[in-house]
Amino acid sequence: MHVVVNAATSADGKLSSRRREQIAISGEADFERVDRLRAYSDAVVVGVGTVLADDPHLTVKDESLCDERLERGEPKQPARVVVDSKGRTPTDAAVLDDAATTYVCLSEAAPVGSRMDLVDHAELVTAGNDRVDLLRAFAALEEQGLERIMVEGGGELIFSLFEAGLVDELRLFVGPKVIGGRDAPTLADGEGFVEEFPLLHLEDLERLDDGALLRWTVED
């Protein structure tokens, strides 16, 4: 399995404002890049917080890219994955429509009622007691043939993936905007590292729109 974290942050490293409202950080060139990255992924992964805040569809928009997937013998759309320990994903969320297969990763703590609501809309993966065990959940996804994984946020999930040692690559668009706020979400939230920090190797740096696109690989 190869896991790529893809994100866009402001110049000061924020994913959105302290109100957790979606903010346009990147422009058309980056939107096209993200669409291509989705098109070459087996699955697109987000945390439930992103679903609740933004209600993303997580599909490839460019029909020509969809056609290329079909020509490669792949489904028209990559699978979608929601990491949702307590089963909070609304059944009317855009990510649960019939555009693509959706997996919802739950913990044992997810209420039975939530499971019953979600089972008609998604494939359920249970891993972990109070929180989703990402190593077990991603192993289960790999067993379903999902090997090229794109992670789109949010900060809590991204931190947890780094903590679990699951990230192979980080692609980050840094946009020309300052958001500020000590309570605004950053690229990697959660508890944070105090030692044994994940180390990155810069593979590429490109100017894109009025920002910069950086691509790092994670050192072993």
Side-chain angles (χ1 to χ4, degrees), residues 13-20 179-186 189:
K14 305 297 185 180
L15 292 176
S16 66
S17 73
R18 59 185 172 82
R19 295 179 179 175
R20 309 257 165 176
I179 294 175
R182 65 177 60 88
D183 296 324
T186 65
D189 284 337

Side-chain angles (χ1 to χ4, degrees), residues 156-210:
E156 296 276 349
L157 174 60
I158 291 172
F159 170 78
S160 296
L161 288 168
F162 272 108
E163 186 179 38
L166 284 167
V167 181
D168 297 293
E169 191 176 338
L170 171 62
R171 300 189 187 190
L172 178 66
F173 176 82
V174 181
K177 186 174 291 185
V178 173
I179 294 175
R182 65 177 60 88
D183 296 324
T186 65
L187 175 70
D189 284 337
E191 294 183 2
F193 296 103
V194 294
E195 57 185 20
E196 298 184 5
F197 306 97
L199 298 178
L200 309 177
H201 177 73
L202 184 63
E203 300 286 353
D204 193 33
L205 171 61
E206 174 188 355
R207 178 168 181 164
L208 194 63
D209 295 322
D210 283 328

